[in-house]
Structures are given as structure tokens and as C-alpha cells.
Amino acid sequence: MAMVHVVRCFYVFLITTFFPMASSLTELQALVKLKKSFTNAASLDSWGLGTTPCNVNGRPWIGISCENGLVSILSLEDSGFSGSIDIDALLELKGLRVVSFKNNSFSGAIPDFNRLGALKAIFLSENQFSGEIPSDYFANMDSLKKVWFGGNNFSGPIPESLANLNNLTELHLENNQFSGSIPLLEQPTLESLDLSNNLLEGEIPASLNKFNERSFQGNAGLCGENIGTSCNDVADAVPPTGSGDQGNVSGSSSSKTAAGLMAVAVVLLCVMIGAIHVMRQRQKKFNLLGKEDFDDAVEVRSSGASKKDMGSIRKGNGSSRRGSHKGSGGDLVLVNEESGTFGLTDLMKAGAEVLGNGTLGSSYKAMMSNGMTVVVKRIKDMNKLGKEGFEAEVRRLGRLRHQNVLTLLAYHYRKDEKLLINKYVAKGSLLYLLHGDRGLNHAELNWPVRLKIVQGIARGLGYLHTELASANLPHGNLKSSNVLLGPDFEPLLVDYGFSPLVNNAQAVQALLAYKSPEATQTHETSPKCDVYCLGIIILEILTGKFPSQYLNHGKGGIDIVDWVRAAISEGRGAELFDPEIINSRNSLGEMEKLLRIGATCTESDPDQRPEITEAIQWIEDVHVEGVGGQEARTVQVPRQGYAEAAAPESTHLLNVQDGYAGRRLNSIGERSARRTSDSFAFDIS
């Protein structure tokens, strides 16, 4: 009997221990299972057995980002998927924190994402989901920060359980059929709200008064201070006039007179309330959207503004009036009108969305009613100079003109806050295309395109070093998040020339040039710091690795300077290149040449780095080799804006030894300037 008991215990042990392990799926198997639940999933053909989701030739699968070797972000957007979403498969992804299925064709009831209690963000916008969402749907999702369900066919009340999400920062339910009242959302963390174009009714909770009219427009039944509609029923204040003794003509006439006077009084009251509201709005500090705060991350036509609006804009012609202001709040000052004119009123009324928040400030994409689209950057720590000095520096930046430099359009000055306005560039930043986007734009980053980007960056930087030659740091913050890409991948430098404006303590934290070796050791800066930043971005473009130099907290990425230096000194330079460009084998020699230039630009000793003109000449001498030994046309743009340097006779580059030439981006929260709402929607830190 004892033996039988032992055998039974052994079987129980097997069943309870090994069978669950056998039924558990690996991440690879779970993702393949998820893919099978989709229809039209041809774009995921690269997903398959035999590879690892977080490491295919050093990169994760398309639509996947990883943290500590586990899938953390699933971003399957704009792919035309339909069918179902296998939640059981998602449950096997233990590190999953963000799911995005935006702009697909999924339909039916909302999937059971609430079974994934550790999620921090859900993006389901622009699908065809429908029906009611259970009131307690979000009850067990305490970690949830971002909910984007806009552009579906959801109906019924907004789930009450949203009010219990203590960490909620963004709630987008626009363009659905939600009805009933708005739940009491009192979270102080809530910064981005869009409930527009639904069937909501009743009074807007006072806790949401910080959001403007745009968050609630398109809901005829709503009332509240936010939208300028009183919740008092005016009709109740007017006594009925059709009742009583019909024979009492005098009484009837008196009632009609009283009603008429009451109506006039109501109209006058409404006019007064409206006037007071307009005056208050004009006196308010400009607070475009009021949506901000992400961690570590960033084209216009003529305005149709009224003469009254345009009168408040200090367009000027270079005179002292160009920098003047009205009132305590100041006006919007245009420094570049080549792309059109607009005013503070246009921005106040603009539809906008958050792009992100970097170390300098928050950025928004503002879509004005007249069709103009701009990016507004709000900066609070820019008080190194007084008002006159600030305006002189900004007007100087507004005079810059170069095909690889995005010129400032306008600014708004307040002592405690500054707004800087630029054109919106739809393709987004180089950082996003290199490390975040796994779609077509990323696929086009072949060797010729990357060389074109490097050469354009160098030309733009050379122009800044000529036009802003008096500054120690003509750019000061050159990194891939501050390089935007035009439609043909022509690079545009942004966030330059801030060094004279930013407080010293903030500059050390916010500007990459202050992380050059000499700046960190001796606190000395010079134009050679910009050359150091140029070297980092060259190495980043060639290797596809995210530089840890971009991060203040020092976690994530790879020390790209030491990594490249060590590999080249060991004769492994050819192993460093991004696998997605290594197939350009005829250009391997040119790639190695550019790699050595990047390594030389990042020398610890600034005296060992080239001058910017010398670095530009070296970069211009790099070519794209054609197939079969034929040399293809070099991707070049005519130089402009800086003195042309003769071919260097210095042996500086030749002195580099023949053998001299981590972790990937660890969270989408470290990405920057994403396109439109995708752009920074994935920050979950």
C-alpha cells in the first residue's frame, strides 16, 4: 500500500508540475498563434518558427519591441488586419505592456484586453469595434495610463471603471456613439482628453474644467463652463403665458409684457456672459491643449484670420516693433512668413495632439482650421537672457535659410514660458524611423538613403556653424530625434541655437553637446562638441544601434562610441553595420570610410577631432558604389551656406589605426517626434 501511495503521489507531481509547463506557449508560439487569428496578415510573413521575436539579425520582429528579452510592445498599426484578436495568445506574453491595433479593420465587441492586467496602454482607434463596453471593464487594470478608442462604433455609457484608473493620463473616445453622462474623472494625472463627436449629455464634471471646448465638441446634450453653455434651463425661468382666465385681457397682456421683458433680459444676460468669457479667454495664459508630460523622448498656408486677429500679431519689418507685445501675456511674433501667416487666436482654436515631451519641453502638432499644420514647442527653462536678448536671438534664428535646416516660424514670449513654432514635417524624426518604425519608411533606409541623410545633416550643421559662428555651440543638441525627414528623406535640423537661451543648469541636462567628454570633464564647450554629436549620429545611422549617450538616466541603449572603437581596434569593423544595409557589399569600403569618419569625430580629445569644414569634406567624398563595379551617382545636394573646403591634405584620418574604425532602444518611451498621434502615444514610463 505504501508503494501505491508513493506512485500516486508521483503521478500527481507530474500532472501538477509538468503538464502546465507543457501547455504554456513560448513567446514565439504565442505570436504565431496570434497571427493566425488575423485575416489579411500577409505583412507578418516574416513572423515564423525558427527565429526569435526579440532577435532576428539583431532586431525584433516587425511590429514588436522588447525589454529585457521579452516582448513589451505590440504595435500592429495601419495594416488592414481583420478577424479576431487572440487574447489567450497575448496572455503568454508576460512582459507585454502596450498593444496597438490602430487603423485596421477589426470589428465586433471589444476583445477581453482587461484580462491583461499589466497593460499600460491600449490603442484601438480607427477600427470598427461596436457595442457597449461593460461598466467594470477596466476594474482590474490599475497600471493603465493610456486608452485610445476613438473612431469606432462603441455605444452605451462610458465605463464607470475608467474613473478608478489612478494612473490614467490619456483618454480618447472621440467619434463613437457613447451616450449618457461623463463619469466623474478626477485623476490629477489626466492630461489628454477627447470625448468629441458622441451622444453625451448632462453637465461636464468640474474636474474636467482644465480641458477646452475641443475635448467635448459634437455632443449637443453637454453643458458646462468648458463649452460656454449654461446648464440652467432658461425656459424654466420664463413663466407660462398661455394659462389662466382667457377673458382677462389685461392679465394676459401683462403676462405677455412680462415674458417679453424676461426674454430681453435673458438675451442681454447671455450677451454679457459671452463678452466676459471672451475677455477672460484673451487674458488667459496660452495653454494649447494643456496636454503634456512624456518622459525622455520630438507646413503651412496663408491664414484666414480676421483683421482683428491679425492686428494682434507683431509681424513687423525688422524694426523695434517686431519684438513688442501687448498686455502681460504678449502676442505671437512671426519671424518667418514664407510659409504663411497666422496668429495666437488661430492656435488657441486649433485642433491639436501631443507629440511628446523631451528634456527641453513639450511638443504639440496643431492643426488650424484654415489648413495650416505646425508644431508648437513649450519651453519653461529658457530664461538665461532677458526679453530683449531672447527676442534678438530668436529673430536671428528666424533669418536662417537652408534646405537642411528647418527655420523657425514664430514665437510667443512670457517670462515663465516660451512657445516656439515650426513647420510640421509628416515623415517624422530619424530616431523614429531608425528605431521605432518597422514599416515601409524604415525599409527604405538603405545605404544610399542613409548616406544622403548623413551628407544632408553635415551640410546643415556646416551652415549653422557659419551663420552662428559666434556661438560656442552653433547647434548644441544634434541627435537623431532632432533630425526630421522630408518626403524624399532630405534631413532637416531642428532645436538648434538654444545654448545662448537655456539656463546653464538646464543646458547640462537637456543639450547633447554638454555630454561630450570635454564638457563633462571640464565644463568647457566649443564647436567641436557639435562635431562629437555629428560623429554619434553617423555611428547610429550606420549601425542601427540606439546610443546610450541620448539618455540622461544612463539605462538602455549602447555606448556606441566605446563599442565602435573597441570593435574596429579588433579588426571587426565590417561586423558593426546594420544588417539591413550590409547587402550593399559593393559599397562596404565606402561604409567603412564613413564609419572611420564617425569614429574620428567622437575622439575624446577635441583637438583630435576634425573641424566641421574638414568633416564635411570627408563625408562628401563618400560615395555609393553601383552593382558590378560600376559607380552609381553619389547622392549629393549642392552645398550652400558655408565656405567650401578644399580637399584636406591632413593625415588626420589616415592616422586612425587600420583596425579602428548592447542593448537596443529599451522602451518606446525613449522615442521621439513620432508621426501624429502615434508619435508619442507609446510612452509608458
Side-chain angles (χ1 to χ4, degrees), residues 77-121:
E77 305 173 355
D78 307 306
S79 301
F81 296 149
S82 57
S84 61
I85 299 174
D86 192 331
I87 301 297
D88 288 332
L90 295 180
L91 284 168
E92 301 296 336
L93 306 178
K94 306 305 182 184
L96 189 62
R97 297 296 178 265
V98 175
V99 292
S100 179
F101 294 96
K102 291 175 61 177
N103 198 22
N104 281 289
S105 299
F106 293 107
S107 59
I110 184 171
D112 295 334
F113 288 110
N114 54 342
R115 296 169 60 194
L116 306 171
L119 283 184
K120 292 189 177 183

Side-chain angles (χ1 to χ4, degrees), residues 25 90 113 115 187 191 267 288 315 322 610 667:
L25 301 179
L90 295 180
F113 288 110
R115 296 169 60 194
Q187 298 94 324
E191 298 167 347
V267 171
L288 182 63
K315 293 187 286 187
R322 188 180 183 94
S667 89

Side-chain angles (χ1 to χ4, degrees), residues 29 47 257 328 398 454 493 508 556 583 605:
Q29 293 169 329
W47 286 22
T257 301
S328 61
V454 170
L493 306 188
V508 172
N583 56 353
D605 184 354

Side-chain angles (χ1 to χ4, degrees), residues 37 163 196 450 663:
S37 69
S196 62
R450 296 195 195 201
R663 237 175 59 174

Side-chain angles (χ1 to χ4, degrees), residues 48-286:
L49 299 175
T51 60
T52 303
C54 291
N55 187 7
V56 180
N57 295 325
R59 294 183 176 276
W61 286 0
I62 291 175
I64 288 173
S65 292
C66 297
E67 175 76 19
N68 297 324
L70 296 176
V71 174
S72 61
I73 297 171
L74 189 62
S75 176
L76 301 177
E77 305 173 355
D78 307 306
S79 301
F81 296 149
S82 57
S84 61
I85 299 174
D86 192 331
I87 301 297
D88 288 332
L90 295 180
L91 284 168
E92 301 296 336
L93 306 178
K94 306 305 182 184
L96 189 62
R97 297 296 178 265
V98 175
V99 292
S100 179
F101 294 96
K102 291 175 61 177
N103 198 22
N104 281 289
S105 299
F106 293 107
S107 59
I110 184 171
D112 295 334
F113 288 110
N114 54 342
R115 296 169 60 194
L116 306 171
L119 283 184
K120 292 189 177 183
I122 307 177
F123 302 94
L124 302 181
S125 301
E126 307 303 328
N127 278 279
Q128 299 167 29
F129 292 112
S130 59
E132 293 191 15
I133 301 176
S135 178
D136 61 350
Y137 185 85
F138 299 98
N140 297 315
M141 305 188 76
D142 296 337
S143 299
L144 201 57
K145 291 185 175 184
K146 304 184 181 186
V147 178
W148 288 55
F149 286 1
N152 285 281
N153 294 304
F154 290 119
S155 58
I158 294 176
E160 291 285 344
S161 52
L162 283 168
N164 298 323
L165 298 179
N166 295 326
N167 299 309
L168 187 65
T169 61
E170 298 177 12
L171 178 61
H172 285 238
L173 305 178
E174 72 279 3
N175 301 319
N176 281 284
Q177 300 178 48
F178 287 110
S179 58
S181 60
I182 300 175
L184 191 59
L185 302 171
E186 298 181 309
Q187 298 94 324
T189 56
L190 187 60
E191 298 167 347
S192 177
L193 178 70
D194 194 344
L195 305 178
S196 62
N197 302 317
N198 280 285
L199 304 174
L200 300 171
E201 57 187 9
E203 184 173 4
I204 298 172
S207 59
L208 302 181
N209 284 345
K210 63 182 178 179
F211 298 104
N212 61 22
E213 181 179 0
R214 183 178 176 274
S215 296
F216 309 99
Q217 65 187 8
N219 292 278
L222 286 179
C223 61
E225 178 182 333
N226 317 56
I227 58 179
T229 303
S230 174
C231 292
N232 296 324
D233 188 357
V234 175
D236 290 344
V238 181
T241 60
S243 61
D245 185 359
Q246 294 183 6
N248 189 346
V249 178
S250 177
S252 176
S253 175
S254 176
S255 297
K256 290 181 179 179
T257 301
L261 291 174
M262 181 65 73
V264 172
V266 169
V267 171
L268 291 175
L269 180 61
C270 290
V271 171
M272 291 175 63
I273 292 174
I276 292 172
H277 178 72
V278 171
M279 291 175 65
R280 285 180 176 177
Q281 286 298 107
R282 289 181 176 177
Q283 292 173 357
K284 277 184 180 180
K285 168 182 162 181
F286 176 58

Side-chain angles (χ1 to χ4, degrees), residues 197-416:
N197 302 317
N198 280 285
L199 304 174
L200 300 171
E201 57 187 9
E203 184 173 4
I204 298 172
S207 59
L208 302 181
N209 284 345
K210 63 182 178 179
F211 298 104
N212 61 22
E213 181 179 0
R214 183 178 176 274
S215 296
F216 309 99
Q217 65 187 8
N219 292 278
L222 286 179
C223 61
E225 178 182 333
N226 317 56
I227 58 179
T229 303
S230 174
C231 292
N232 296 324
D233 188 357
V234 175
D236 290 344
V238 181
T241 60
S243 61
D245 185 359
Q246 294 183 6
N248 189 346
V249 178
S250 177
S252 176
S253 175
S254 176
S255 297
K256 290 181 179 179
T257 301
L261 291 174
M262 181 65 73
V264 172
V266 169
V267 171
L268 291 175
L269 180 61
C270 290
V271 171
M272 291 175 63
I273 292 174
I276 292 172
H277 178 72
V278 171
M279 291 175 65
R280 285 180 176 177
Q281 286 298 107
R282 289 181 176 177
Q283 292 173 357
K284 277 184 180 180
K285 168 182 162 181
F286 176 58
N287 187 25
L288 182 63
L289 273 192
K291 305 173 183 178
E292 60 180 303
D293 285 341
F294 291 74
D295 296 329
D296 287 331
V298 208
E299 302 171 329
V300 287
R301 295 175 287 188
S302 63
S303 170
S306 66
K307 291 182 180 179
K308 186 175 182 180
D309 292 335
M310 295 303 293
S312 69
I313 305 173
R314 301 293 187 182
K315 293 187 286 187
N317 57 3
S319 67
S320 60
R321 285 184 58 81
R322 188 180 183 94
S324 63
H325 294 81
K326 287 183 179 179
S328 61
D331 293 326
L332 190 70
V333 182
L334 298 181
V335 295
N336 175 8
E337 301 177 23
E338 294 179 357
S339 298
T341 58
F342 56 95
L344 191 57
T345 303
D346 298 301
L347 288 180
M348 288 285 290
K349 297 178 180 178
E353 58 192 48
V354 181
L355 290 181
N357 182 35
T359 49
L360 281 171
S362 307
S363 296
Y364 311 89
K365 173 188 174 185
M367 298 156 282
M368 291 179 277
S369 58
N370 57 21
M372 301 175 69
T373 304
V374 297
V375 172
V376 181
K377 193 176 188 76
R378 297 177 63 184
I379 304 177
K380 295 184 178 180
D381 296 308
M382 194 172 264
N383 299 314
K384 186 175 183 179
L385 301 178
K387 178 179 170 183
E388 292 184 0
F390 173 86
E391 292 179 334
E393 286 294 329
V394 173
R395 287 197 298 271
R396 183 184 185 190
L397 299 180
R399 291 192 293 268
L400 299 177
R401 299 291 186 275
H402 190 277
Q403 69 189 81
N404 297 119
V405 173
L406 189 65
T407 304
L408 190 70
L409 295 181
Y411 71 91
H412 174 75
Y413 178 92
R414 290 182 64 90
K415 184 176 181 180
D416 57 344

